[in-house]
Amino acid sequence: MAKNLIYNAEIADLGLLIDDALIISDLHIGYEQSLNREGIMIPRFQYKMILERLQEIIKRSSVGKVIVNGDLKHEFGSITRQEWEEALNFIEFLQENFDDVILLKGNHDNFTKFIAGKTGLEVYETYSLGDFIIMHGDKIPEDIMVMEESTIIIGHEHPCIGIRNGERLEKIKCFIKGNYKKKNLVVMPSFNFVSEGSDILHEKPLSPFLKNRSTDEFGVYGVENFEVLYFGKIKDIITVKDRFY
Amino acid sequence: MIERQEKAYKDEEIYQILHPWVKKWFRGKFETFSEAQRYAIMDIHIGENVLVSSPTGSGKTLTAFLSIISELTHLAERDELEDKVYCLYISPLKALDNDIEKNLEEPLSEIEQIAGKKLGIRKSVRTGDTSQYQRSKMLKTPPHILITTPETLSILLCAPKFRGKLKDIKYLIVDEIHSLADNKRGVHMSLTLERLQNLTGGLTRIGLSATVHPLETIASFLVGYENGHVRNCKVVDVNYLKQLDMKVLCPVEDIVMSDPEEVNTALYNLIHGLVNEHKTTLIFTNTRSGTESMVFNLKKKYPDFYNHENIMAHHSSLSKELRLEAENKLKDGELKVVVSSTSLELGIDIGYIDLVVLVSSPKSVSRALQRIGRSGHQLHDKSKGRIIVVERDDLVECSLILKNAVEGKIDEIHIPQNCLDVLSQQIYGMSIEGKWDIENAYKVIKGSYNYRNLSHNDFISVLSYLAGDYTSLEDRYVYAKIWVDYNDKMFGKRGKLARMLYSTNIGTIPDRSAARVKCNGEVIGGIEEDFMEKLRKGDTFVLGGKIYRFNYARGMTVNVTPSSGPPTIPSWFSEQLPLSFDLAMSIQNFRAIMDVKFKSNKNKEEIIKYIHEYLYVDYNAANSIYSYFREQYIYAQIPSARNLLIEFYKGYGGRKFVIFHTLFGRRVNDALSRAVAYLIAKKYKRDVMISVSDNGFYLSSDGKVGGLDIFTELRPDNIEEILIKAIDKTETLAARFRHCAGRSLMILRRYKGNEKSVSRQQIKGKILLKFVKDLDNNFSILREARREVIEDYMDVKNAKKVLEMISDGRMNVNKIDTKIPSPFAFNLVAQSYLDVLKYEERIEFIRRMHQAIIKEIGDEVIKSYSSTD
C-alpha cells in the first residue's frame, strides 16, 4: 500500500524495510538502568517488549538482514556486567533470527572494540543499501554530497508529534520524509518503549541534518502498533492543530 | 477523649503556677491574660494535650510557651537544665520559625534581667537552611527549645546522635496546624509525631489553629490514637473575640443587568477607592493569573498612583527573592497594596494591614475568615474584610459566606486517610532509625489519626513494595529499600546510602519541575512544566505583574523578553479553588427557601426584606438576588437541596446538552460527572463532552445522551468502582501517579548528584503508569494515586452523600426541557471549564485526531500524498 512507503522504503512498525533488510534505530537498551542511576527506580521492562515487537515484524514480513542504525545501548561507561550481558544477549538474539546483522555507530555507542571482540561483528559509520545510505545522523559525513545514493536514512532524532485534544495529549512516534540539499531524507523513530521521543512540532531538532533549517515541507508518518497514519506536512499540522485545543 | 475546655482561670490562679521571675516579667508587660491564655495555660502546665483555636494577634505564642518558659526557668534557677531538648516547636513555614525565634528572644532575655543572672535557656531554629557548622554546634550544645519544620523533624529522628537529644522532649507545639491537616504534608507529620511519641514514650502536645471545623477532628489529628482510642485532648476555642467587620460589595448597582465590561471598570474603581481609604491593603484573587492581572490593571488604569515601588504581587510561582522583597516591604510599611493568590494566607508576620479585599468568592467560609483575619493587628482591632463580587452567582455565594461567617458556621475540613505513598516514605524513615518488629511498627503507625484505620494488608503491601518484591530477585538489590524477614517478623533498612537518600528526598510536595523563566539572562520566576509545554512562540503571558513574550524553551529554562499589549494567556489554564461542600449545601438550602417564598406568593418587598435580613446584605444586593431567582423561577424551576434539576436543551446544530444543576462544588461534581459520562459513553458508545463547575455540570454530545436514566444507575454503593474505571486513562491520574511515585521514593528527586536531567523529564507519568499497570494493577502506589484522585482531588465521599439523599428521597430528581438555558444554567454553560472526556483507547484517540487533522488540512494533502511516490 502506497501510504506505507517513503521513497520506496516500507514502514514496518517502528522499522523500515528495504527489500529483505530491516532497519531499526535507537533501541537504547539499558535505559532503565541509567534511569536507576538517576534515582528513577523503574525495573527493566522494555527489553522484553523490544524482542516481542521484533518477533512480530519478523512474523509479518520476510526479513533476512537487520541493520541497527545506532544507539543500540543507552549508555556505556561505568555499567554493570549484567548490563553488558543484556546488550550481548540482544545481539545474539539478532544473530539467531537474521542471516545478517549490521551494526552502525551511534552517538551513545562506544562499544566498537568490545562488540567486535565478543561477537565478531564490525561497527560501521554508514551502510549502503541500493539507492539508500544509512547512518545514525548525529553528524554529517564530509563526503555526503558525493555519495551515489539518492536517499539518506537517519535515526538519532527520536521524532514524534504531540496531538492534544481537550485535556488529553498523546505523543505519536513518526517517520519524517524530507530532503537534505539535493538528496532525499528519511528520519526514523526510536525503537524503544521508554519514551516517545521529542515533539518535532514543538522542540528544536538535534540532528545536524535538521538543525537551523526549515522543516515545514517535511511529511509526517505517524506509527502506532503497525498502523501507519499520514498526517501531512509539518507546516499544515502546525497550522491546524491549535484548533483542537 | 476530646473535650472542650470550658474553664477560664483567673489571673491569680495562673500567676500561682508561674515562676516568680516569669510572673514579674508578665506583669510588667501585660495588664492581664488573654482569653486563650486563661483557658490553655493551666492545662499545658499539668501536661494535658491542648488544641487552641484563636485568631492571630491574640497572644498565641505566649499561650503555648508561657508555662513552658516558666518550667525551664525553674530548672535554670536550680541549675538543672541539661543539654537536651525540652520543647519542640513545629510550624509549616521556615519564615514563621524565624519569626517565633525572634518573638522568644524578648521574654527570655528580659526574664534573665529580672533574675539578675544568666539563665542560659537556649532556643534555635533548625530547618533545611541550617548550615553544617550550626548543626554540629547544636549537637554539642542542643537548644532547650528547638524550632523546626515537620520535614526536618523526621530527618532528625534518623540522625543517630541528635536523636538522643530528642528522647526527653516534654512539650511539642504545632503551629498553624489547620494548614497541615488537610493535605499530605500533615499526613506525613502525623506519622513523624508518632515516631517521636515512640522515641519519647509520651509528651504533651499543643496545637495552635485558625478557625476550622470541626476542632475535635483537628484535635484528634494533633494527638493521635493509642490502642484504638483517641488520646486525651482539651479544645480551647476563643474565636470571634476579635470582631469581624465583613461586607459583601457589588461594584455596580445591579449586577444582574450590568454587562461584564461595565462591572470590570467599576471593580477597579471600587478597589482603587478602598485602597485610598486605607493605609495598607491586602488583595486576594484566588489564582496566580488573577493576581497578575490585578497588578497589571491597577498599574495601567492608575499610572500616577501605582508603580513597582508601592504595589507588588505575591504568589508561589514568583522567585523566592521577589516574594521575600514583597514580604519585607510589607513589614516595613512601604507597600500600599500587595496582591496575592493564596500564598499570604498563612501566618507569617506581614506587618500592619488594615484592609483585606477578596476579589470574587474565596469558595469557603474558613478561607474567607482566614484571609480577612490577616488584617487588624492588635488584640482588640477589628478584622476588616470586603468581598467584591463580580457576577450574580458570585453574589449569592459570597452572601452565604458572609452569613455563615457571621453565624460561625464553618466548612468541614477534609483530612486524607491511609495514604500509602506517605506511609512508604515514613516506613523507610523508621527503618533507618533501627530494626523494627513488624507488628510493633504497625501499632506505632496506627497511632496516627490518618492511619488509625489502616488495614494490615495495606501495611504489608507497602512493606513488600519497599522490599522490592515487585522486581526480579537478581535485580532486587537495586530497588529494595528495606529488608523484610516475614518469618521473624522484622524489617530494617538496606544500603549504606539510606539515611542520605531519605534526608535529601523527604517531603510530600510534588516535584512539579517548575521551569525557570529567564529574561536577559536573569531568572525572574518559574512556571509549571505543563504550562511551559503549552506555550507557543509569540505567546505573551504575565509573571510578576509584567508581560513577557515567550521565545523558546531549552530543557527546563524558558527564555522570554519583556513585552507589552494584552497577554495571550491561554484561557483553558485553570487553577480555580473548588467551592466547599458545606457552603454549597447552604446555598442549596437558601435556594430551597427562596423556592418556597415564590411558591407561596410572597410579594417582592417581603422577599427582598427577607433576603436582606437572612443574608446580611444591603438592599442593592438583595434586589439583585431577588431578580436573579425570580427569573429562574418563572422561566424554569429553582433547583435546590430538595430538587436536583436536570435541564435538557438543544444547542446550535441540534447538539444536545444535559445540564445537571448539582450545586455541590467542583470536587463533588467532578466525581458525579465523570461517573455519569463514563456510563453514558459505555452505554451509547459515544464521545461525551463534559464540563464541570462548582454549580453543576453538563454533558453534551451530537447523539443520544440520555441523562435521567443513567443518573439513576449511579448509586452510593457503585460510584467508587465506576469512578476508578472512569479516571483510568486521564492525565489527572497519570500526573498524580507521578507525584505518588515521588512521595513513595520510587522516583528520587535527589540521587547521587542528579537533580534535573533530561531523561527525568522524558519519563512522563503516563509511561510510568502504563508500566506499573502491566506489572500489577493493584500495586500499592497505583492504588494510592487512584485514592488521591477520587478522595482528595475529587470528593467521592460527599458525592456518595448526594446519591444517598437521592435514594432516600430527601432530594428529588426532576427533569425540564428548555429552548435556551435557564438563568441558573447560563453561567454554568458559559463559564465552566471544558473537558472533552473520551473514554477511548490510545489508538482510538490517535485515529480520531488523525482524521480530524487531515480533514482540517484539506484535500491538498491527500493529493500531494498520492503524488509523492
Side-chain angles (χ1 to χ4, degrees):
Chain A
M1 227 172 75
K3 76 168 181 178
N4 290 356
L5 290 178
I6 307 179
Y7 300 125
N8 282 324
E10 189 191 340
I11 298 172
D13 195 46
L14 298 169
L16 208 49
L17 271 176
I18 298 170
D19 300 324
D20 77 331
L22 172 69
I23 311 165
I24 53 176
S25 187
D26 301 279
L27 288 86
H28 291 265
I29 288 170
Y31 200 122
E32 299 94 321
Q33 287 95 329
S34 89
L35 286 176
N36 291 168
R37 278 189 283 275
E38 293 180 13
I40 302 170
M41 295 306 181
I42 303 300
R44 284 184 292 150
F45 68 102
Q46 71 149 345
Y47 183 74
K48 206 177 115 217
M49 292 169 85
I50 289 175
L51 294 197
E52 282 168 3
R53 192 58 72 90
L54 269 175
Q55 272 158 341
E56 185 66 28
I57 294 176
I58 296 168
K59 212 167 79 189
R60 293 185 186 210
S61 331
S62 58
V63 192
K65 176 189 281 188
V66 67
I67 302 159
V68 181
N69 190 9
D71 288 358
L72 179 140
K73 182 89 182 74
H74 181 64
E75 200 175 62
F76 281 83
S78 59
I79 60 168
T80 61
R81 202 185 139 83
Q82 194 194 335
E83 288 182 69
W84 278 116
E85 274 167 12
E86 205 173 48
L88 283 172
N89 284 343
F90 182 70
I91 292 169
E92 218 167 83
F93 167 86
L94 295 181
Q95 285 174 323
E96 279 165 17
N97 286 276
F98 298 91
D99 305 331
D100 201 359
V101 177
I102 309 286
L103 300 181
L104 294 180
K105 194 173 178 307
N107 54 311
H108 280 255
D109 302 327
N110 293 310
F111 63 169
T112 316
K113 268 188 216 151
F114 179 83
I115 295 292
K118 290 266 183 181
T119 62
L121 289 174
E122 279 190 56
V123 180
Y124 305 94
E125 290 285 339
T126 64
Y127 188 79
S128 173
L129 192 70
D131 203 22
F132 297 89
I133 179 84
I134 305 158
M135 65 190 76
H136 186 59
D138 54 317
K139 49 184 189 276
I140 303 176
E142 274 173 30
D143 56 346
I144 186 94
M145 292 319 291
V146 299
M147 289 179 178
E148 284 170 11
E149 299 85 353
S150 65
T151 301
I152 309 164
I153 297 176
I154 64 168
H156 185 56
E157 193 63 37
H158 301 218
C160 75
I161 55 169
I163 301 294
R164 184 182 296 279
N165 188 208
E167 67 151 11
R168 190 164 182 180
L169 170 76
E170 293 285 358
K171 287 184 169 176
I172 306 149
K173 292 194 181 215
C174 62
F175 286 85
I176 303 175
K177 172 187 173 180
N179 69 295
Y180 178 75
K181 296 190 174 156
K182 291 255 161 69
K183 288 184 188 291
N184 298 326
L185 179 70
V186 181
V187 188
M188 300 182 63
S190 59
F191 202 97
N192 73 53
F193 303 93
V194 185
S195 92
E196 290 122 334
S198 55
D199 187 345
I200 50 159
L201 304 177
H202 188 37
E203 289 162 54
K204 292 201 167 182
L206 286 171
S207 168
F209 282 98
L210 302 170
K211 257 186 192 167
N212 302 322
R213 55 181 293 220
S214 166
T215 52
D216 282 356
E217 294 294 330
F218 286 18
V220 174
Y221 295 75
V223 183
E224 176 73 12
N225 196 16
F226 288 92
E227 194 167 328
V228 180
L229 301 151
Y230 181 62
F231 275 92
K233 290 176 177 173
I234 289 181
K235 64 166 186 199
D236 295 324
I237 310 173
I238 289 176
T239 328
V240 304
K241 79 190 171 79
D242 287 339
R243 293 177 208 164
F244 299 102
Y245 281 6
Chain B
M1 210 171 55
I2 311 283
E3 289 173 290
R4 290 264 165 174
Q5 169 59 281
E6 306 289 354
K7 183 166 183 207
Y9 290 87
K10 296 196 185 74
D11 282 20
E12 308 80 69
E13 291 173 294
I14 304 174
Y15 279 135
Q16 225 160 47
I17 61 149
L18 293 181
H19 187 282
W21 297 336
V22 178
K23 175 177 161 185
K24 191 171 174 199
W25 171 79
F26 192 88
R27 277 214 159 125
K29 277 283 183 202
F30 305 94
E31 264 174 41
T32 181
F33 291 99
S34 77
E35 210 65 14
Q37 289 163 352
R38 284 179 198 288
Y39 281 107
I41 288 176
M42 287 299 252
D43 282 322
I44 297 172
H45 175 69
I46 57 166
E48 289 254 28
N49 298 326
V50 180
L51 175 70
V52 182
S53 172
S54 67
T56 32
S58 57
K60 237 175 9 173
T61 317
L62 269 189
T63 307
F65 276 109
L66 198 62
S67 77
I68 300 170
I69 291 176
S70 169
E71 188 173 325
L72 291 175
T73 306
H74 270 296
L75 290 173
E77 189 192 8
R78 296 199 294 261
D79 214 14
E80 286 171 3
L81 268 182
E82 291 175 44
D83 280 346
K84 61 185 187 187
V85 180
Y86 289 84
C87 169
L88 185 67
Y89 167 95
I90 302 176
S91 91
L93 294 172
K94 289 179 197 167
L96 190 53
D97 280 353
N98 294 330
D99 279 356
I100 289 293
E101 199 203 1
K102 267 184 235 142
N103 293 347
L104 285 175
E105 187 64 52
E106 194 184 273
L108 290 179
S109 64
E110 289 177 0
I111 289 167
E112 270 192 354
Q113 278 172 22
I114 290 169
K117 65 169 183 176
K118 206 158 163 42
L119 293 175
I121 301 172
R122 295 187 296 266
K123 51 168 179 45
S124 319
V125 175
R126 175 131 174 185
T127 65
D129 295 343
T130 308
S131 71
Q132 189 56 47
Y133 169 72
Q134 287 167 308
R135 287 181 204 188
S136 52
K137 218 173 105 186
M138 241 179 251
L139 184 63
K140 272 186 214 131
T141 45
H144 305 114
I145 301 172
L146 177 63
I147 300 162
T148 188
T149 60
E151 289 76 17
T152 300
L153 174 60
S154 54
I155 295 171
L156 287 177
L157 285 171
C158 293
K161 288 182 199 140
F162 202 78
R163 187 178 156 78
K165 310 289 181 199
L166 303 176
K167 69 177 183 0
D168 292 326
I169 289 179
K170 267 188 87 176
Y171 300 99
L172 163 76
I173 302 168
V174 185
D175 204 351
E176 303 273 348
I177 189 170
H178 61 280
S179 74
L180 290 163
D182 67 350
N183 54 56
K184 287 195 170 176
R185 255 193 107 187
V187 176
H188 186 270
M189 183 185 74
S190 79
L191 283 173
T192 305
L193 297 189
E194 291 314 313
R195 286 167 61 192
L196 182 68
Q197 179 92 15
N198 183 62
L199 172 69
T200 58
L203 71 178
T204 302
R205 303 190 192 193
I206 302 152
L208 304 174
S209 172
T211 312
V212 279
H213 176 77
L215 281 174
E216 283 70 13
T217 309
I218 300 288
S220 313
F221 169 70
L222 168 71
V223 297
Y225 279 63
E226 207 158 290
N227 301 321
H229 299 286
V230 69
R231 296 190 180 102
N232 291 336
C233 185
K234 291 272 171 62
V235 175
V236 173
D237 184 4
V238 287
N239 288 296
Y240 315 111
L241 271 187
K242 201 157 148 182
Q243 274 181 305
L244 202 59
D245 169 10
M246 182 173 168
K247 279 189 185 128
V248 170
L249 303 178
C250 276
V252 290
E253 211 163 283
D254 187 351
I255 198 116
V256 180
M257 297 307 290
S258 307
D259 68 85
E261 196 56 41
E262 203 181 318
V263 174
N264 205 41
T265 310
L267 169 75
Y268 287 104
N269 283 337
L270 179 59
I271 290 175
H272 182 57
L274 287 168
V275 167
N276 267 320
E277 287 164 18
H278 295 84
K279 191 171 163 287
T280 310
T281 306
L282 167 58
I283 303 175
F284 283 104
T285 59
N286 292 349
T287 63
R288 280 166 293 175
S289 47
T291 296
E292 296 294 355
S293 70
M294 177 59 64
V295 174
F296 174 76
N297 283 315
L298 280 176
K299 276 190 197 166
K300 196 176 138 199
K301 282 181 199 280
Y302 308 98
D304 300 336
F305 192 86
Y306 300 102
N307 54 56
H308 64 278
E309 292 295 324
N310 63 12
I311 180 168
M312 281 188 87
H314 189 287
H315 61 70
S316 57
S317 294
L318 291 175
S319 69
K320 204 173 153 190
E321 288 73 28
L322 275 174
R323 272 181 287 159
L324 207 65
E325 189 189 332
E327 286 162 25
N328 287 335
K329 278 182 148 182
L330 257 184
K331 278 184 200 169
D332 299 342
E334 286 172 33
L335 288 182
K336 192 77 190 146
V337 185
V338 65
V339 189
S340 172
S341 51
T342 53
S343 54
L344 284 177
E345 276 169 13
L346 275 190
I348 50 160
D349 185 8
I350 49 172
Y352 182 81
I353 286 181
D354 52 349
L355 176 71
V356 171
V357 172
L358 311 184
V359 180
S360 89
S361 168
K363 298 286 171 189
S364 85
V365 182
S366 47
R367 177 169 274 119
L369 285 175
Q370 196 163 351
R371 288 179 173 181
I372 292 169
R374 300 300 272 151
S375 73
H377 220 49
Q378 302 305 312
L379 183 51
H380 299 291
D381 277 3
K382 276 187 176 183
S383 284
K384 190 169 181 183
R386 297 290 177 262
I387 308 182
I388 305 182
V389 299
V390 293
E391 42 86 18
R392 45 206 193 170
D393 281 326
D394 207 26
L395 170 62
V396 177
E397 202 172 297
C398 293
S399 303
L400 277 139
I401 289 178
L402 176 63
K403 179 183 169 66
N404 287 322
V406 170
E407 294 176 1
K409 290 177 190 147
I410 300 155
D411 346 72
E412 191 172 332
I413 194 166
H414 164 75
I415 300 182
Q417 310 283 333
N418 298 330
C419 312
L420 301 183
D421 54 349
V422 177
L423 183 60
S424 311
Q425 200 183 104
Q426 287 282 12
I427 292 180
Y428 189 40
M430 289 166 73
S431 75
I432 297 165
E433 288 177 15
K435 280 185 209 171
W436 281 82
D437 173 85
I438 290 181
E439 295 313 316
N440 186 35
Y442 181 52
K443 202 179 132 209
V444 168
I445 288 159
K446 284 186 67 145
S448 149
Y449 172 80
N450 310 74
Y451 294 93
R452 66 195 188 285
N453 298 322
L454 178 73
S455 75
H456 201 263
N457 276 347
D458 279 349
F459 169 64
I460 295 295
S461 79
V462 169
L463 280 185
S464 154
Y465 150 69
L466 286 170
D469 292 350
Y470 62 101
T471 57
S472 65
L473 207 55
E474 58 193 288
D475 282 345
R476 200 157 296 165
Y477 73 97
V478 182
Y479 305 97
K481 295 192 168 59
I482 62 171
W483 55 262
V484 180
D485 185 330
Y486 294 102
N487 293 325
D488 286 350
K489 294 198 150 248
M490 298 291 284
F491 72 88
K493 69 160 177 145
R494 271 180 83 143
K496 291 193 185 87
L497 293 171
R499 200 153 65 81
M500 197 271 284
L501 279 183
Y502 179 70
S503 56
T504 48
N505 286 286
I506 198 166
T508 54
I509 296 161
D511 189 15
R512 282 193 202 280
S513 41
R516 293 183 306 165
V517 181
K518 266 189 173 179
C519 183
N520 298 326
E522 228 180 292
V523 177
I524 49 157
I527 54 174
E528 273 172 31
E529 198 185 355
D530 320 10
F531 187 69
M532 177 180 81
E533 216 176 280
K534 285 158 190 165
L535 282 172
R536 292 295 176 268
K537 196 175 175 176
D539 271 346
T540 53
F541 63 99
V542 186
L543 188 68
K546 294 186 191 127
I547 296 195
Y548 298 96
R549 179 183 306 280
F550 173 77
N551 297 326
Y552 60 86
R554 193 157 288 160
M556 291 304 280
T557 306
V558 174
N559 183 291
V560 299
T561 40
S563 179
S564 56
T568 59
I569 307 166
S571 56
W572 37 255
F573 189 63
S574 161
E575 35 159 350
Q576 294 288 331
L577 295 166
L579 177 68
S580 86
F581 182 70
D582 299 291
L583 178 56
M585 287 315 292
S586 71
I587 300 172
Q588 293 259 37
N589 286 329
F590 174 68
R591 283 180 169 187
I593 294 171
M594 290 296 280
D595 191 36
V596 173
K597 298 270 173 212
F598 285 117
K599 279 184 179 146
S600 55
N601 289 317
K602 296 271 187 256
N603 68 36
K604 183 177 173 180
E605 284 64 39
E606 253 178 295
I607 298 180
I608 288 178
K609 186 161 174 284
Y610 178 80
I611 299 172
H612 165 73
E613 281 165 8
Y614 184 79
L615 293 178
Y616 313 106
V617 293
D618 65 22
Y619 276 98
N620 272 346
N623 200 35
S624 295
I625 294 173
Y626 170 81
S627 44
Y628 183 33
F629 274 73
R630 192 178 149 76
E631 264 179 43
Q632 176 71 20
Y633 178 72
I634 290 175
Y635 183 75
Q637 296 174 24
I638 293 180
S640 73
R642 322 250 172 289
N643 178 16
L644 195 158
L645 188 62
I646 302 180
E647 180 174 339
F648 291 79
Y649 96 98
K650 242 184 224 171
Y652 299 111
R655 197 173 173 87
K656 293 182 187 82
F657 287 79
V658 187
I659 301 160
F660 293 76
H661 289 269
T662 49
L663 197 161
F664 301 117
R666 203 188 64 215
R667 288 177 58 225
V668 171
N669 285 340
D670 239 331
L672 289 176
S673 64
R674 278 168 201 256
V676 173
Y678 178 78
L679 290 176
I680 293 176
K682 249 184 82 180
K683 185 159 181 177
Y684 300 112
K685 304 251 179 290
R686 282 263 178 204
D687 295 339
V688 181
M689 224 157 62
I690 174 176
S691 173
V692 184
S693 77
D694 285 323
N695 290 12
F697 63 92
Y698 73 77
L699 306 171
S700 89
S701 168
D702 33 16
K704 192 171 165 59
V705 198
L708 201 54
D709 52 329
I710 295 283
F711 198 67
T712 48
E713 276 180 40
L714 212 54
R715 295 186 313 267
D717 63 341
N718 69 5
I719 180 167
E720 200 165 316
E721 184 193 334
I722 292 169
L723 207 49
I724 296 264
K725 285 185 197 145
I727 60 166
D728 194 54
K729 289 188 177 60
T730 60
E731 299 286 341
T732 312
L733 181 68
R736 296 278 165 156
F737 176 75
R738 200 178 197 286
H739 296 167
C740 292
R743 288 190 203 100
S744 51
L745 308 178
M746 191 170 184
I747 299 176
L748 298 167
R749 218 169 15 207
R750 294 189 192 82
Y751 185 66
K752 298 181 181 171
N754 288 301
E755 281 196 38
K756 297 254 147 106
S757 71
V758 179
S759 35
R760 209 164 256 277
Q761 286 168 54
Q762 284 171 353
I763 296 300
K764 298 288 185 238
K766 259 190 180 166
I767 292 175
L768 284 177
L769 186 59
K770 186 185 175 311
F771 150 71
V772 168
K773 267 186 209 158
D774 289 348
L775 189 76
D776 175 5
N777 202 31
N778 274 314
F779 196 57
S780 55
I781 305 169
L782 176 57
R783 277 193 295 134
E784 171 56 23
R786 290 180 184 134
R787 189 210 60 78
E788 186 181 316
V789 171
I790 70 168
E791 289 181 16
D792 302 346
Y793 173 71
M794 298 177 189
D795 183 357
V796 73
K797 192 185 98 194
N798 282 317
K800 270 186 204 168
K801 263 193 203 163
V802 169
L803 294 173
E804 274 159 22
M805 285 192 264
I806 294 169
S807 65
D808 65 19
R810 273 176 290 164
M811 188 183 276
N812 297 311
V813 180
N814 289 304
K815 174 182 148 155
I816 187 171
D817 289 299
T818 53
K819 289 216 172 63
I820 49 167
S822 71
F824 281 10
F826 204 77
N827 264 352
L828 216 154
V829 175
Q831 287 194 339
S832 45
Y833 73 94
L834 202 75
D835 232 356
V836 190
L837 261 206
K838 291 165 191 287
Y839 298 98
E840 53 196 354
E841 295 296 326
R842 178 179 145 90
I843 184 67
E844 289 166 349
F845 173 87
I846 293 171
R847 281 186 197 134
R848 179 169 60 80
M849 290 310 296
H850 172 245
Q851 285 303 317
I853 286 170
I854 290 299
K855 203 177 147 208
E856 278 291 326
I857 292 174
D859 290 340
E860 306 91 83
V861 173
I862 317 297
K863 272 180 227 146
S864 72
Y865 141 55
S866 41
S867 66
T868 18
D869 294 295

